[in-house]
Amino acid sequence: QVQLVESGGGLVQAGGSLRLSCAASGHTFSNYAMGWFRQAPGKEREFVAAISKSGYRTLYGDSVKGRFTISRDGAKNTVYLQMNNLKPEDTAVYYCAAAPTIAATTVPINSFQYEYWGQGTQVTVSS
């Protein structure tokens, strides 16, 4: 079992920044690729960003490329999502997820590839 706890969400004005954190516990953090997904009311869950278990590869959804950055800190068992130049359409509940992978550079982008999920943190961007 892997437990994931997100934090850092909140209300921010358009153009502002937030940094989300996801603390992992229970299993070896370095065995898992980590991802962020989001879900707005009435919409399907959307891939935001993911990072390989090695930390060497990252992938981003088209809507956040150039604005969001995912990173991980093995010493703290934590993955981060730095969100800059936020837009009202970024408003959603953001979920952290962990995917067991074999290759060190695999970066899963589909929600079904992720085995463990956090409870989510709300991000609201006002215009």
Side-chain angles (χ1 to χ4, degrees):
Q1 279 285 63
V2 176
Q3 291 79 43
L4 302 172
V5 179
E6 301 100 333
S7 61
L11 174 64
V12 65
Q13 287 189 331
S17 298
L18 282 175
R19 188 176 80 155
L20 304 184
S21 300
C22 173
S25 62
H27 266 208
T28 305
F29 182 64
S30 59
N31 287 343
Y32 295 86
M34 301 297 295
W36 287 95
F37 291 77
R38 66 186 183 187
Q39 189 165 19
K43 294 188 177 181
E44 294 188 352
R45 190 166 293 188
E46 176 189 13
F47 169 72
V48 175
I51 187 167
S52 63
K53 64 181 182 181
S54 66
Y56 292 143
R57 276 196 75 206
T58 57
L59 287 174
Y60 297 89
D62 288 341
S63 61
V64 307
K65 280 180 184 176
R67 301 188 297 123
F68 291 12
T69 303
I70 188 172
S71 60
R72 63 190 297 160
D73 184 336
K76 296 182 178 180
N77 288 354
T78 300
V79 63
Y80 303 98
L81 185 68
Q82 178 67 43
M83 306 185 294
N84 298 328
N85 190 21
L86 282 160
K87 303 176 181 181
E89 51 264 43
D90 294 318
T91 295
V93 177
Y94 283 71
Y95 297 91
C96 170
T101 61
I102 297 175
T105 55
T106 297
V107 185
I109 64 170
N110 298 297
S111 59
F112 67 80
Q113 295 174 288
Y114 287 82
E115 189 169 342
Y116 301 103
W117 293 81
Q119 81 290 349
T121 186
Q122 176 71 46
V123 172
T124 303
V125 184
S126 63
S127 57

